[in-house]
Amino acid sequence: MSRLPAALLLAGAVVLGAPLLSAGAIAQSENEVYNRIEELHGNAEAFDRPLRRLVLAMRSGDAETIAGLAEYPLTVKANGETYDVENAEDFVENFEDLVTPETRRAVGRQQYQDLFVNSDGVMLANGAVWMGAVCEDNACEDSHWAIIAINN
């Protein structure tokens, strides 16, 4: 699949008078998102299951499932403060303070083609949640996908 440089796409949008999407991003396909994840992080196939679990858990407010998907310590920005959540129990106990209803709704509506991928990880809901491939050893031969930050 060929890819046009971002500058060429932007120039085409300006010439045609087409408005950019509200988030400032160019529309992308699920394949493009998958390929970008694979290119930057590898293990793109393994991303699907934790993403689906997270989206469903956010829809239902399932704090235990969300806590189980996180890497600790987890940095959470909420209520104008930054918290370093040390473990899943702490996350569940303080869930209502750590994850706003707006964040739960936004992540619960996340569409795969709307994900943003960069070298830091995969951004959901305009930055409300970040997931990353977390290395399981120093050589990083194996990794697992986890929530690495929450920004309410």
Side-chain angles (χ1 to χ4, degrees):
M1 174 182 296
S2 67
R3 295 187 181 134
L4 294 174
L8 184 57
L9 287 173
L10 181 58
V14 170
V15 168
L16 295 174
L20 294 175
L21 297 176
S22 62
I26 304 297
Q28 57 189 351
S29 71
E30 290 185 9
N31 268 348
E32 290 170 319
V33 172
Y34 180 94
N35 291 339
R36 181 90 169 137
I37 293 169
E38 187 63 37
E39 174 187 331
L40 292 175
H41 303 283
N43 208 12
E45 184 177 340
F47 177 69
D48 185 61
R49 186 165 190 258
L51 173 65
R52 289 178 190 273
R53 289 183 65 212
L54 176 60
V55 169
L56 292 173
M58 286 287 193
R59 284 182 191 162
S60 65
D62 182 351
E64 289 82 12
T65 296
I66 298 166
L69 291 168
E71 186 69 20
Y72 298 95
L74 175 66
T75 301
V76 177
K77 294 181 181 176
N79 309 311
E81 302 285 334
T82 300
Y83 305 95
D84 289 321
V85 181
E86 295 299 320
N87 54 52
E89 294 80 22
D90 188 25
F91 184 90
V92 171
E93 184 176 307
N94 295 290
F95 180 70
E96 294 298 322
D97 294 324
L98 296 173
V99 184
T100 65
E102 295 80 13
T103 294
R104 291 195 299 269
R105 278 192 296 277
V107 174
R109 291 189 305 256
Q110 181 66 56
Q111 297 294 311
Y112 194 89
Q113 68 271 13
D114 295 331
L115 295 169
F116 174 78
V117 183
N118 69 17
S119 61
D120 294 325
V122 180
M123 180 180 80
L124 288 78
N126 292 321
V129 174
W130 281 85
M131 295 185 77
V134 178
C135 295
E136 295 181 15
D137 56 32
N138 288 337
C140 203
E141 292 180 10
D142 293 313
S143 64
H144 64 277
W145 285 95
I147 300 167
I148 57 173
I150 297 176
N151 305 297
N152 291 278

